[in-house]
Amino acid sequence: MPSSSSPPTTELDDADALERLRERLRLFAARRLGNWDEAEDVAQEAIRRAIESLRAGRVQNPQALPAFCFQTVVHVCQHRSLSAGREAKALRRFASEDGTSSEASDPLHGLISDERRAAVRRAIDQLDAGDRDLLTLSFVETQDAASIGRRLGLSSGNVRVRRHRALRRLAELLRVTEAPEKGHK
Amino acid sequence: MEEIACARADEGDVLVRYLGGRLSEPEAEAFERHGLECESCWEQIRAGAEIREARGHGVFAAPPSRGRGRRELGPLLAAAAALFVMILGVRQIAERPGVSTAEPVWRGEKAGTLPLEIRPGTADSIVLRWPAVPDASAYNVEIFSSDGQSVWHRETPETEATLAAGILIPPRPGISFFATVEALDSSGQPIARSRRERVPEP
């Protein structure tokens, strides 16, 4: 029998569900703030407020918790008084514009651990050249499907289908070398 | 990365534009709200972000510069690019060898055209139907708006797809929708394609 101080099971379930949102909230905050440490604080703050609201019985519908957390992230980021101009400046700082910045000095490298980054790099290298080029054009050069299609002689739909398959193959390679979720900060 | 169960990340290349810093803030926020609860889209966001980091880039590319200097340079750069393309085109025409007639190009007789039938379904839905193509392992169905945006996309092994009511809402008057279907072989290569057919209003 649980002790009287143990939180009820549903509350624990809700807390687990919130914990699973942490990585997303951190990424969404990082986009706004351009700083992973601050983004971590904001994600933590959003989860803390949600748990407090749960414990205080202020949450009528637990399914609304993700939206509650997201709204908190948006508000806290705004509260950190990044004006639109400063935000754009932060984003520019956030990105490696010329692609030559070193990982160690780039504050934007913060979503995944060094170990995971190395595993992703190895997995990308194991893909065939076609998959590798497609993923690079899509996610590194961020070209849209139509542009990639023109370059590779494919339709936009075919580019998307191939991209999905390439992502699936990359995930398979990563699954072989690393347990899911491992390595995420 | 699990099976792609949601096409939202593909619609209008929203995922690529998100990571590329090319969505407006309301668009980016709407995509994030969706990604917060959609496992399929979140997996794609994370995969794209991981690839960027693994390749030595930040998760998000810098948003396109809107500085005054760049705006002033824009017309000049466009004119220079147009001139360059014209010169290149003239040179290529001058150097082009005779046209080969050995093999028909894709879309020719070998590729085959896929007849696409579009008819109203139940409850304002729209049903797209096409005949099975030998050697096809999947069909790639895509709906475009008349301003060139991809609004819906699905890969299916079936020879029918149903568009639920509400998908085809014109963003502004005068916009209509078109559908195409491609038959893909087991390696993802197109082996037949339909003409672009207009989708009737529900």
Side-chain angles (χ1 to χ4, degrees):
Chain A
M1 186 175 169
S3 69
S4 58
S5 61
S6 299
T9 309
T10 52
E11 188 182 313
L12 287 173
D13 290 345
D14 290 335
D16 282 349
L18 286 169
E19 199 51 44
R20 283 195 292 274
L21 295 178
R22 181 184 293 276
E23 193 185 10
R24 300 171 205 209
L25 297 172
R26 198 161 70 90
L27 179 73
F28 300 157
R31 185 181 68 82
R32 289 165 172 76
L33 299 170
N35 181 305
W36 288 103
D37 290 335
E38 279 192 63
E40 177 66 48
D41 291 346
V42 172
Q44 175 61 28
E45 175 70 6
I47 291 172
R48 186 188 65 75
R49 288 189 196 181
I51 290 175
E52 271 181 14
S53 297
L54 272 172
R55 288 188 177 149
R58 292 196 298 269
V59 178
Q60 303 291 323
N61 177 14
Q63 290 189 329
L65 277 172
F68 175 90
C69 288
F70 183 78
Q71 209 51 47
T72 306
V73 165
V74 172
H75 283 155
V76 173
C77 288
Q78 283 171 347
H79 193 252
R80 292 191 177 213
S81 67
L82 281 172
S83 68
R86 286 179 61 199
E87 192 170 348
K89 200 172 163 187
L91 274 168
R92 277 194 290 278
R93 200 171 60 232
F94 195 22
S96 49
E97 284 189 270
D98 59 6
T100 57
S101 63
S102 75
E103 290 177 23
S105 63
D106 188 346
L108 285 192
H109 286 91
L111 178 68
I112 55 177
S113 65
D114 290 344
E115 187 189 354
R116 172 79 176 178
R117 194 174 307 132
V120 174
R121 204 175 293 140
R122 278 196 302 275
I124 291 171
D125 289 343
Q126 286 175 50
L127 290 170
D128 71 41
D131 283 352
R132 204 164 45 235
D133 289 348
L134 190 53
L135 293 181
T136 301
L137 290 169
S138 296
F139 297 117
V140 178
E141 296 186 18
T142 64
Q143 292 192 21
D144 59 33
S147 305
I148 297 172
R150 278 194 294 275
R151 197 153 154 179
L152 302 182
L154 301 168
S155 69
S156 302
N158 201 221
V159 167
R160 294 187 186 108
V161 169
R162 285 179 170 212
R163 185 163 59 209
H164 288 166
R165 288 178 180 163
L167 284 174
R168 219 173 290 154
R169 283 190 276 268
L170 181 66
E172 288 296 328
L173 288 167
L174 282 167
R175 237 192 302 270
V176 171
T177 55
E178 229 187 5
E181 300 301 318
K182 185 182 170 188
H184 284 271
K185 284 185 177 177
Chain B
M1 183 77 219
E2 300 302 327
E3 198 69 25
I4 304 297
C6 174
R8 173 76 187 270
D10 278 341
E11 287 165 4
D13 287 302
V14 68
L15 169 61
V16 167
R17 292 195 294 133
Y18 174 70
L19 294 173
R22 298 199 303 275
L23 290 182
S24 67
E25 186 53 33
E27 286 175 320
E29 190 169 317
F31 184 51
E32 287 174 341
R33 279 182 194 280
H34 174 79
L36 195 64
E37 302 194 60
C38 173
E39 285 304 316
S40 171
C41 286
W42 168 247
E43 286 296 317
Q44 291 180 75
I45 293 171
R46 192 173 62 177
E50 284 188 338
I51 291 166
R52 287 188 60 80
E53 280 209 348
R55 289 296 202 180
H57 291 257
V59 167
F60 298 102
S65 169
R66 294 184 177 88
R68 187 171 39 179
R70 182 143 179 172
R71 269 205 304 272
E72 287 167 356
L73 274 177
L76 196 59
L77 288 172
L83 187 63
F84 175 74
V85 168
M86 279 173 63
I87 292 169
L88 197 67
V90 169
R91 232 181 109 174
Q92 282 187 340
I93 289 169
E95 293 173 358
R96 191 169 65 171
V99 176
S100 166
T101 55
E103 287 290 325
V105 292
W106 205 95
R107 279 181 187 277
E109 290 171 7
K110 276 190 180 174
T113 303
L114 195 54
L116 171 61
E117 181 192 358
I118 303 175
R119 61 166 60 166
T122 54
D124 283 342
S125 66
I126 292 170
V127 178
L128 286 72
R129 201 170 285 153
W130 54 93
V133 174
D135 299 328
S137 63
Y139 299 91
N140 183 32
V141 190
E142 189 148 20
I143 308 291
F144 300 91
S145 57
S146 51
D147 59 357
Q149 295 292 313
S150 174
V151 296
W152 189 87
H153 161 252
R154 180 132 312 159
E155 186 187 357
T156 174
E158 310 295 332
T159 57
E160 183 177 300
T162 302
L163 292 172
I167 288 179
L168 302 184
I169 297 173
R172 57 183 182 276
I175 294 289
S176 50
F177 296 97
F178 296 87
T180 60
V181 175
E182 276 180 339
L184 306 175
D185 65 14
S186 56
S187 63
Q189 289 290 347
I191 51 177
R193 181 183 287 168
S194 75
R195 294 180 191 286
R196 199 176 63 154
E197 301 288 354
R198 187 173 183 141
V199 180
E201 290 179 18

